Amino acid sequence: MQCCTLQPAVERLLANAVRWVASEGLPIELDAPGPVGVSLFRQPRRLVIHLVNHQRDSQLRSDAFAPMRHVSLRVALPEEARQPKVRRLWEDRDLASQVNGRTLHVKVGTLDEYEAIAVEW
C-alpha cells in the first residue's frame, strides 16, 4: 500500500537529507507542483532525463493522473558540454533552455504521464 500525501515538514526533511549527502551539489533539481519521479542517465555527448508524473490516486483505485503545469529543471552540465540542445523525446519537439555557468535551466511546461528529455552537445 502506498503512503498518503507527505506533510510539508517531512518533504523538507527528506529533501534536506538528500542535499546534505550530495555535498557537492545535485546533478538535477526539479520544480513541480506535485510528486515526479526523476531519473538521469549520462550517455556519450548527452544526458537523458526521464520524468514520471506520480500525481495520482495514492490508493491505486484508478489509473487516472492529473497533468502538472509549470514544471522546470536545473541540470548540472558536464564540463565538456558546449551549447546544449534540449529536446522532449516523447513529444518530439525542442525546448527552450538557458545556461548559467555550468547549470542548464529548462522550462518543461506541462508534464502529462511521462516524458523523456535529451540534452545533447
Side-chain angles (χ1 to χ4, degrees), residues 30-34 36 51 67-74 88 106-112:
L30 174 92
D31 290 322
V36 177
L51 303 174
M68 281 190 225
R69 300 189 188 338
H70 311 293
V71 176
S72 62
L73 298 168
R74 287 180 306 285
R88 286 181 83 134
V106 180
K107 289 187 178 181
V108 176
T110 300
L111 174 62
D112 288 320

Side-chain angles (χ1 to χ4, degrees), residues 6-15:
L6 290 175
Q7 298 299 316
V10 175
E11 289 177 352
R12 280 192 305 278
L13 177 69
L14 292 172

Side-chain angles (χ1 to χ4, degrees), residues 1-107:
M1 175 186 232
Q2 290 185 335
C3 66
C4 296
T5 303
L6 290 175
Q7 298 299 316
V10 175
E11 289 177 352
R12 280 192 305 278
L13 177 69
L14 292 172
N16 288 338
V18 169
R19 285 186 185 95
W20 181 73
V21 170
S23 60
E24 295 190 21
L26 298 172
I28 188 167
E29 292 187 69
L30 174 92
D31 290 322
V36 177
V38 180
S39 298
L40 173 66
F41 297 93
R42 186 166 181 179
Q43 298 175 346
R45 300 187 48 82
R46 80 176 192 167
L47 301 172
V48 178
I49 303 157
H50 296 268
L51 303 174
V52 179
N53 180 344
H54 289 293
Q55 187 75 36
R56 55 182 69 229
D57 179 3
S58 65
Q59 301 296 315
L60 301 177
R61 294 174 293 221
S62 168
D63 287 340
F65 67 94
M68 281 190 225
R69 300 189 188 338
H70 311 293
V71 176
S72 62
L73 298 168
R74 287 180 306 285
V75 182
L77 291 172
E79 198 61 41
E80 69 272 13
R82 302 281 184 256
Q83 299 177 342
K85 294 183 178 146
V86 184
R87 184 159 191 78
R88 286 181 83 134
L89 298 177
W90 191 253
E91 289 189 356
D92 192 27
R93 68 178 173 91
D94 292 336
L95 281 174
S97 63
Q98 204 172 21
V99 177
N100 184 3
R102 300 298 323 145
T103 303
L104 176 70
H105 299 265
V106 180
K107 289 187 178 181

